[in-house]
Amino acid sequence: MSDFIAEKKKILCVEDDQDTCELLVFLLSDYHLVFTESVERTLEVFRNENFDLCLLDNWLSDGKGTDLCRQIRAVNPSIPVVFASGAAEKEQIEKALEAGAQAYLVKPYSLEELQKVVKELIK
């Protein structure tokens, strides 16, 4: 009998708040999470590894999540992108969706909402 273990789907989480990172590890324990904190580091990691989904914050130390989303789309146009951000203004949400995101969750989002969106986009 084989000891085959299904490989976990891989999520790139772009988040600079340590508490949020710890919460994501708990909430998304069925997935392999890779964390980055900046646009520059995210692009470096994204170009060198394969991911099943990107979870982006909209405010980063060295740029905007919407700009990062466009750059991710240039490398991989089909990867699902979800924003999880405290930026709750309608204009910010529209810009993220225009940049290529499939979903936008406003912090504080419900735990079930995050899990549902991720599960729907990673099939």
Side-chain angles (χ1 to χ4, degrees):
M1 183 187 278
S2 171
D3 287 332
F4 175 77
I5 297 174
E7 189 173 316
K8 288 184 175 185
K9 298 288 186 171
K10 197 168 171 183
I11 300 176
L12 178 58
C13 300
V14 185
E15 177 61 59
D16 58 1
D17 179 72
Q18 187 61 39
D19 290 339
T20 302
C21 292
E22 290 173 13
L23 180 63
L24 289 172
V25 168
F26 173 75
L27 293 176
L28 300 174
S29 61
D30 291 341
Y31 304 95
H32 175 74
L33 305 181
V34 175
F35 289 94
T36 59
E37 296 181 354
S38 67
V39 171
E40 182 179 347
R41 178 73 180 132
T42 300
L43 290 172
E44 179 183 324
V45 170
F46 188 75
R47 288 184 178 116
N48 292 305
E49 297 183 42
N50 292 319
F51 294 94
D52 298 291
L53 183 135
C54 292
L55 185 62
L56 307 181
D57 194 348
N58 208 5
W59 295 322
L60 304 168
S61 62
D62 63 343
K64 295 180 183 175
T66 50
D67 294 334
L68 176 58
C69 184
R70 285 186 188 89
Q71 293 175 63
I72 285 171
R73 286 271 165 251
V75 175
N76 183 342
S78 63
I79 190 166
V81 175
V82 175
F83 274 80
S85 179
E89 298 82 25
K90 183 179 177 183
E91 180 183 343
Q92 296 292 330
I93 296 168
E94 288 174 355
K95 284 182 178 181
L97 297 174
E98 287 170 7
Q102 280 74 24
Y104 194 106
L105 304 175
V106 176
K107 292 178 185 174
Y109 43 79
S110 78
L111 312 180
E112 294 81 17
E113 184 179 19
L114 173 66
Q115 291 167 329
K116 179 183 174 196
V117 167
V118 168
K119 187 174 183 177
E120 286 176 0
L121 291 174
I122 296 181
K123 293 183 181 181

